[in-house]
Amino acid sequence: MLISNEYKRNLEKVYFDCTNYYFEIDEENDFLRKGPSKENRKEPLLSQALMLDADQIPIDTEFFPGNQSEKPFLRNRVEDMKARNNVTGRVIQVADKGLNCARNIYSAVIEANDGYIFSKSIKGTSLTTEQKEWIIS
């Protein structure tokens, strides 16, 4: 049973993000692969692309091997999910350090007329004192 058969979906604005899942195993397999990790972990991981409707209910998901960077495939994944699910509204990409690059931002905002939310760590030395004070206030 599809959720859309039971409830009206709000696809005016949808959200897209990618994440990784870690597994405490030694051996890799077709999907659980050692790959780049912002936490610098060495365990095999599985990557997931996820699209949510405006009510934060999942629309579509796609898993891919953890040793593949989502950066070069991001826009294709978004466009494929939009097409499969008849999404005509704007897609807001939620991006952390792993996805924040000029090509992805340009592709989302300029080429597709979608949105982009940036995240930035407030730990470490990447922020100025003024920026940290603004966040805390």
Side-chain angles (χ1 to χ4, degrees), residues 18-25 28-36 43-49 61-68 70:
C18 289
T19 193
N20 293 322
Y21 300 97
Y22 296 91
F23 295 83
E24 295 182 0
I25 60 174
E28 296 178 295
N29 61 36
D30 290 343
F31 273 97
L32 304 178
R33 307 294 301 198
K34 294 179 182 177
E43 295 92 357
L45 56 121
L46 175 68
S47 297
Q48 178 186 23
T61 190
E62 185 177 329
F63 292 94
F64 52 100
N67 65 341
Q68 294 180 6
E70 62 265 14

Side-chain angles (χ1 to χ4, degrees), residues 24 33 48-50 55 61 76 103 119 133:
E24 295 182 0
R33 307 294 301 198
Q48 178 186 23
L50 177 65
D55 297 314
T61 190
N76 290 339
R103 181 66 193 124
S119 70
E133 288 174 3

Side-chain angles (χ1 to χ4, degrees), residues 77-89:
R77 291 186 201 291
V78 170
E79 292 303 323
D80 289 346
M81 287 183 177
K82 283 174 74 171
R84 279 196 305 261
N85 298 283
N86 301 315
V87 174
T88 57

Side-chain angles (χ1 to χ4, degrees), residues 123-134:
K123 297 178 184 176
T125 59
S126 65
L127 295 178
T128 66
T129 302
E130 292 166 335
Q131 290 170 326
K132 288 180 184 178
E133 288 174 3
W134 179 82

